[in-house]
Amino acid sequence: MASLIDDLIEILGNEKTQYEKLLDLSESMRDAIVVSDVPKVASITEAEQDVTTDLQNLDKKRAEIMRNIALVMNRDSDEFTISAIVDTLDSQPVAKQALSVVRDDIKELMDRLNRINTQNQALIKQSMELLEFDLTLYRSMRQAPVTANYDRSAYNTGALLGGGGFDAKQ
């Protein structure tokens, strides 16, 4: 059982490292979005995908270790959490402390990641709205104004204000 707990602490430590990388990438993403550096956003997105793949692999390993611990402790693996393991480790204070610390660190990192991702989402939305505004403005500048300036034979003169000042007989 002790080796399973040690394996779990190691896997969680690796997950923590990957979440720290993801946090750094998310902060870099925010800076790139602010300055509209599209190539940098693309490269950061690729790096985030690599980290996410690593996290998925670590998550599978963690889930397997959790199932094994639940089996050893004769508990239901679907309802078994890290907090439940921490609560059962009264006889192993060192492991309990290490597991508790890494769990809390990951929770804090996840909160920070959620905050930054929410900010990034808002920045991207604002960038898209600004881009749409710019495109609309550009399109409107290229279109000729619609006028109804016709001469006496009902042909469009093309002049914005007609041929002369007022259209009245004197």
Side-chain angles (χ1 to χ4, degrees):
M1 168 83 164
S3 68
L4 288 173
I5 299 296
D6 291 340
D7 290 345
L8 180 61
I9 292 169
E10 180 182 347
I11 290 293
L12 288 174
N14 292 340
E15 281 189 56
K16 177 186 166 198
T17 301
Q18 293 302 316
Y19 281 122
E20 288 169 342
K21 287 180 186 177
L22 200 56
L23 181 65
D24 290 342
L25 288 171
S26 293
E27 289 171 345
S28 297
M29 176 73 81
R30 181 184 55 211
D31 297 339
I33 292 169
V34 168
V35 296
S36 299
D37 189 350
V38 176
K40 187 173 182 179
V41 168
S43 69
I44 291 171
T45 301
E46 289 177 22
E48 284 179 334
Q49 289 173 348
D50 292 341
V51 172
T52 302
T53 300
D54 293 342
L55 278 168
Q56 288 173 341
N57 293 334
L58 289 169
D59 189 51
K60 288 177 186 175
K61 290 177 184 177
R62 182 185 49 79
E64 180 63 30
I65 292 170
M66 293 286 290
R67 280 192 293 276
N68 290 338
I69 292 172
L71 186 64
V72 168
M73 297 180 82
N74 199 21
R75 305 277 295 273
D76 183 18
S77 64
D78 294 335
E79 299 173 6
F80 200 55
T81 63
I82 294 174
S83 296
I85 295 172
V86 169
D87 292 341
T88 61
L89 290 177
D90 291 331
S91 63
Q92 300 174 4
V94 174
K96 181 176 183 169
Q97 177 67 23
L99 192 57
S100 181
V101 166
V102 78
R103 177 200 59 196
D104 293 343
D105 288 348
I106 289 175
K107 280 184 178 181
E108 180 185 332
L109 283 169
M110 294 301 292
D111 289 343
R112 289 174 59 196
L113 265 170
N114 284 333
R115 230 177 302 118
I116 289 174
N117 285 338
T118 301
Q119 290 173 352
N120 286 351
Q121 185 178 11
L123 287 170
I124 289 171
K125 183 178 179 187
Q126 289 174 353
S127 295
M128 294 298 290
E129 289 171 355
L130 184 60
L131 181 61
E132 183 64 32
F133 175 79
D134 288 346
L135 285 173
T136 302
L137 182 64
Y138 178 72
R139 284 187 209 123
S140 68
M141 288 174 42
R142 294 188 47 154
Q143 294 176 346
V146 178
T147 62
N149 295 323
Y150 297 101
D151 64 7
R152 292 187 180 176
S153 35
Y155 291 110
N156 190 349
T157 63
L160 291 176
L161 297 174
F166 291 103
D167 190 19
K169 290 185 182 180
Q170 293 182 352

